[in-house]
Structure formats: structure tokens, C-alpha cells
Amino acid sequence: MALQQKQEQAIQRIASRTGQDPPNARHVLGLLFGLVLFVTCGSPGEGRSPQGTSAPSHSAAYSILWNGLPAGKAKLQCRRTDHEVLMQLQGETLAVLNTVYPIKISADSRLRADGAHPLQYKEETREGTKKKKTELLIFASDQNTVSVFKNGKLRRILQAPLGTVDPLGAVYRFLSASEDAFRASAMLVTDGKRVFEVRMTSVGREPVRTPWGKRDAEMWQASVRVLAGKPHALEQSSLHAWTLYGNPAVLVKATVRLPYGEFSIQIQESEAHVGAD
């Protein structure tokens, strides 16, 4: 009961900071999933296919926390065929928070098999008792445009430089790049409203908790800059990601610190094969 009260109070504090009651997905778990979608962005090179890939062909489950309190869960999956890459993300609040404000998010990204050309990104969200919202991004790389649909209606055609990918496509590129030099390259990412430049910098190696016990992980610091569109909170945030040392396709942890708290994800399960130290 005490934990539930703390979790409910946490949601209300977020609501008061954002000026919304109840908070919407973008300000609560939307930020957490935004963390998954943006903090792990890196690039094997703009407009180029990944070099020396060790593509993430597994699925992984994560717990989501706010200031250390359990808030939700998410699952990240990657599937590959001869023609396409499909990245999928599903997330939701924990049952204890669903009595306050349930949130569910599902997103999938389709790219060509080389991972360099995004095709389509679809995101569905359901907040509280509201109707499900759908956002669809269709990429026309030959025209450097992205058509943005909201609930089936065309809202805008966004100009996007060659090499711009959707958030989950960026996750794929980062996790499939086996060389740090490619991960550290600037990445162009769009959320359908803005074009971000995301750059990852390796800041060292440290032990982290994983399903396989304490393991060494490479720590990455992200810098985010909006190139086109309105400013975004991530530009002023502290963002970090940790990938398993020796198996960089496995994202084990990520955090984003905002003015009203710290959101984080921590791996709980993974199909990846990890040997003993």
C-alpha cells in the first residue's frame, strides 16, 4: 500500500509540474518511451548502411521507473527478413498505476533490409479513457519528405534531410553498429514534428545490473539538438544509455533527467546469448 501511494503521488507531482491533471502520455510514460526512442539514437553514417553489423535479432523486456519507483514495462523486438527490418516497441503502465491513469503505447518501424532507408513508422497510444490515437509517418527518401498522418488524416508533409530516420529506426541503427565510430556519428531523427540531431559520446565503462548478474557496460552520453521545428525538453536534459560490453546490440539501461524527475529503463529479460564472465 505504501508503494502504491508513492507511485500515485509521483504521478500527481508530474501532473502539477506539467500543468496538466491528469498528465498525458507525453509527460508521463510518453517521456519514458521517448527515452527508449531517442536516448539510444546513434548512427553508422548518414545515408549509409550499417558497417560491420551485429544486428539485434532478439527481444528484450524492460522495467520503467520514475525517480526509482516502478512505473511501467516495455518490450523491444527486432525481426529481419530478406527485404525488411521491423522494430517493435510495446509499453504500458503497471497495474497499480492503471487505477490512476492507464497508458499504453505501441510503435513499430519498417526499414529496408540494409537498415539505411526508413519506410514507415506507426505509433498508437491510449491514455486513460480517451480513444486510441494513431500517428503514421511515411517516408519518401527520394523526395526528402515525411508524410505525417494523425488518426488517418494527413496533417503535414515534413521536409527531412537525406538519412533522417524515425525513432525506432534510429534505435536499430545504434544497436546494430558494431564499431564505436559509427555509433558516435551524428544521427538525424524525426518525430513527425521536428528533425533532431542526436549525437552519442562514449564516456566510459562501468558495471550494471543485468539478468545475467553484474556485467560491464559501455556508457553513452547523448546530446540532442532540434534542427527544424519547435524546441524540445530533451535539448536541456541529461540523457545516458548503457550497452552490454562485448555485446553492444544489447541495451541494458537508459536514463533521462528532467526538471521534474528522472526517468529510466532497466533490462529485465533478453533472448540475447550472453556468456559467463
Side-chain angles (χ1 to χ4, degrees):
M1 181 62 68
L3 178 59
Q4 181 177 357
Q5 290 176 344
K6 287 183 178 179
Q7 291 169 323
E8 292 179 356
Q9 290 170 1
I11 293 294
Q12 294 306 319
R13 283 199 296 271
I14 296 173
S16 65
R17 294 299 184 102
T18 58
Q20 301 186 28
D21 188 15
N24 63 36
R26 291 300 179 191
H27 287 109
V28 190
L29 287 190
L31 279 169
L32 295 172
F33 301 131
L35 167 65
V36 179
L37 297 176
F38 286 107
V39 76
T40 58
C41 298
S43 175
E46 185 175 321
R48 297 164 53 187
S49 60
Q51 303 286 327
T53 58
S54 54
S57 57
H58 61 276
S59 65
Y62 297 87
S63 60
I64 301 172
L65 303 98
W66 184 77
N67 281 350
L69 294 174
K73 57 184 178 179
K75 187 173 184 180
L76 184 65
Q77 294 179 295
C78 175
R79 300 176 183 175
R80 299 186 65 184
T81 69
D82 292 338
H83 305 289
E84 289 186 356
V85 172
L86 175 63
M87 288 288 288
Q88 296 177 305
L89 175 70
Q90 294 181 325
E92 60 182 338
T93 47
L94 294 179
V96 69
L97 293 183
N98 288 341
T99 58
V100 182
Y101 199 71
I103 300 173
K104 289 188 177 181
I105 296 181
S106 176
D108 59 74
S109 170
R110 291 174 48 231
L111 304 94
R112 292 181 186 173
D114 61 4
H117 299 87
L119 300 172
Q120 177 180 296
Y121 173 76
K122 184 177 182 180
E123 180 180 300
E124 296 181 341
T125 61
R126 186 184 296 275
E127 309 169 35
T129 58
K130 297 178 182 178
K131 293 182 178 180
K132 180 173 64 177
K133 298 180 181 179
T134 301
E135 183 171 12
L136 177 66
L137 277 58
I138 297 179
F139 290 80
S141 299
D142 56 335
Q143 302 175 26
N144 291 349
T145 61
V146 182
S147 297
V148 182
F149 295 82
K150 297 272 190 174
N151 300 321
K153 297 182 180 180
L154 179 64
R155 289 297 181 89
R156 69 185 68 88
I157 296 179
L158 183 70
Q159 294 293 319
L162 181 65
T164 302
V165 296
D166 63 85
L168 277 181
V171 173
Y172 174 79
R173 286 193 180 187
F174 179 69
L175 296 181
S176 65
S178 60
E179 298 182 26
D180 287 354
F182 296 124
R183 292 182 169 221
S185 301
M187 183 69 169
L188 300 182
V189 188
T190 182
D191 63 353
K193 294 181 179 180
R194 310 167 184 81
V195 175
F196 298 85
E197 179 189 76
V198 183
R199 192 178 295 274
M200 305 296 289
T201 303
S202 176
V203 292
R205 177 178 170 182
E206 66 179 30
V208 297
R209 181 172 57 85
T210 77
W212 315 281
K214 278 282 186 80
R215 294 298 175 95
D216 282 347
E218 188 82 12
M219 182 180 179
W220 300 83
Q221 182 173 328
S223 60
V224 180
R225 182 165 66 103
V226 174
L227 299 182
K230 295 182 179 179
H232 193 279
L234 289 176
E235 292 181 282
Q236 308 300 323
S237 302
S238 174
L239 303 101
H240 294 87
W242 289 257
T243 54
L244 196 62
Y245 191 80
N247 196 341
V250 180
L251 173 69
V252 294
K253 180 182 175 182
T255 66
V256 56
R257 185 173 291 110
L258 296 162
Y260 45 86
E262 180 179 277
F263 297 89
S264 63
I265 62 168
Q266 177 73 45
I267 193 168
Q268 297 298 317
E269 298 178 7
S270 176
E271 295 177 359
H273 174 73
V274 178
D277 286 336

